[in-house]
Structure formats: C-alpha cells, structure tokens
Amino acid sequence: MTPRETFHIEILGSEDEGEDRVRQRLSIRTSGAESATERALLLFARARAPQRSGGPAEAVRVIDGAGTEVFHRTRFDETA
C-alpha cells in the first residue's frame, strides 16, 4: 500500500482583492506532490474558463500537510 499525503490546492484571485485572495480551496490525499500538481493545473484551467463567474483566476498553489508551498503558478507563467 502506498503512503498518501494531504495537499491543499488554492486558486487565487487578483492581488487587488486584498489579503484573502483565495477563491477556492481543496484538500486532497494523494501519493505525492506530482499528482497534486497535476490536479492543481486542471483546477486552474477550469477556474480561468470564460464562463466562470467573477474575474479570472490569477494563480494556483499547492501546499503540503506541513504548510510548505510546493508548487505555484500564475497566469503569466504559462507557456504558449
């Protein structure tokens, strides 16, 4: 049986929204940071879709169970 870790995925709005930029927060249990990162990127793409209510998401981050950020990507980091 593979050990599973808890990761927290946060979809962030623009910096103009103040201190609480978190628009969506999801906790998942998975076998590693790579799986959590893949899930975060899928959620980020969905949060940036035009039909989404509110402004587009600006960034996504993955935080491990100890509270350390293990992945961060903004809409400007995406490759063309």
Side-chain angles (χ1 to χ4, degrees):
M1 190 166 155
T2 355
R4 298 174 68 81
E5 301 176 61
T6 300
F7 292 92
H8 309 283
I9 300 171
E10 296 181 341
I11 304 295
L12 306 174
S14 69
E15 292 182 8
D16 298 338
E17 294 179 18
E19 240 178 80
D20 190 20
R21 303 174 45 196
V22 179
R23 292 207 176 157
Q24 182 179 7
R25 183 177 287 130
L26 176 71
S27 296
I28 62 170
R29 291 190 48 82
T30 185
S31 59
E34 297 82 23
S35 298
T37 299
E38 288 176 22
R39 181 83 181 264
L41 291 173
L42 287 172
L43 289 170
F44 187 46
R46 187 178 305 150
R48 296 190 61 226
Q51 68 270 19
R52 179 110 174 148
S53 62
E58 296 287 325
V60 63
R61 65 181 168 200
V62 177
I63 302 168
D64 67 10
T68 304
E69 187 177 281
V70 294
F71 177 78
H72 184 271
R73 179 172 288 173
T74 68
R75 64 185 180 98
F76 303 110
D77 294 336
E78 295 183 354
T79 57

